[in-house]
Amino acid sequence: MVEHSNRDILRVASARSLQEVLKPLGAAFATRSGTAVDFFFGPVGTVQQHLDGGAAADVVILSDVLIDAYAQAGKIIPESRKRVGRVGIMLAVREGAEAPDISTSERFKAALLNARAIACSDPAIGGSAGTHFAALLKHFKIEDQVRDTPLKCESGVKTAEPVASGAADIGI
């Protein structure tokens, strides 16, 4: 993946969840170093497709699983790997709405089952939260019940938007 065709541009491929943090860091880096930063952001699966399709990147910020796979395939230099942070998955509700009780697994399941609609990233495009959420529903054995709940998982739509508008009760 490392292919330095232009040393005046640092190419960064990253999971979309880090976009708000990385953009100002990229701007500060560009100001101090004189090297522009070109970002490619997307759901993890989209970034993976981008890279697997031949796109080059100087910096790749993805899940441990994908970084391991790229290291094993010889696509990144294993010794260059650095942990830069952790991204959690959270539950969100509309401002002013009562937060559901998720203090136990049973109460969390009840909150999901009682939601009119749940917004999450689309697991079909490799959205990490959506993929994890789908596995969680399967683990709780409620995927069939929640499947009837309209999920707002459109590609590229931020999960907060349907929650903020009231179209979804819960965002993952």
Side-chain angles (χ1 to χ4, degrees):
M1 285 180 211
V2 178
E3 179 185 300
H4 299 283
S5 60
N6 186 340
R7 291 284 183 175
D8 295 329
I9 298 175
L10 178 70
R11 292 169 297 185
V12 179
S14 175
R16 180 176 57 196
S17 58
L18 296 172
Q19 184 171 343
E20 297 303 316
V21 172
L22 291 177
K23 280 187 173 183
L25 289 175
F29 176 81
T31 299
R32 289 187 183 128
S33 69
T35 300
V37 181
D38 180 30
F39 289 105
F40 178 84
F41 294 107
V44 171
T46 301
V47 175
Q48 181 182 13
Q49 289 173 353
H50 178 72
L51 296 171
D52 291 350
D58 302 300
V59 177
V60 177
I61 304 173
L62 290 171
S63 65
D64 286 338
V65 172
L66 286 176
I67 294 294
D68 288 343
Y70 285 138
Q72 288 177 350
K75 293 183 177 183
I76 64 170
I77 302 165
E79 297 79 25
S80 69
R81 179 183 181 154
K82 302 289 181 219
R83 185 172 303 270
V84 295
R86 291 179 53 174
V87 176
I89 297 174
M90 296 186 267
L91 182 137
V93 296
R94 186 175 187 181
E95 186 174 1
E98 185 176 338
D101 182 355
I102 58 170
S103 60
T104 67
S105 294
E106 288 305 314
R107 290 181 178 172
F108 180 51
K109 288 192 311 190
L112 296 175
L113 291 169
N114 291 325
R116 241 180 343 105
I118 301 170
C120 67
S121 62
D122 187 351
I125 59 167
S128 297
T131 302
H132 179 74
F133 183 59
L136 185 65
L137 294 177
K138 188 173 184 172
H139 173 77
F140 284 156
K141 298 181 175 137
I142 60 171
E143 68 268 26
D144 289 335
Q145 293 116 311
V146 174
R147 186 177 326 211
D148 294 334
T149 303
L151 299 175
K152 306 293 181 180
C153 299
E154 296 87 6
S155 173
V157 175
K158 292 182 179 177
T159 301
E161 291 172 4
V163 176
S165 73
D169 295 333
I170 293 174
I172 303 294

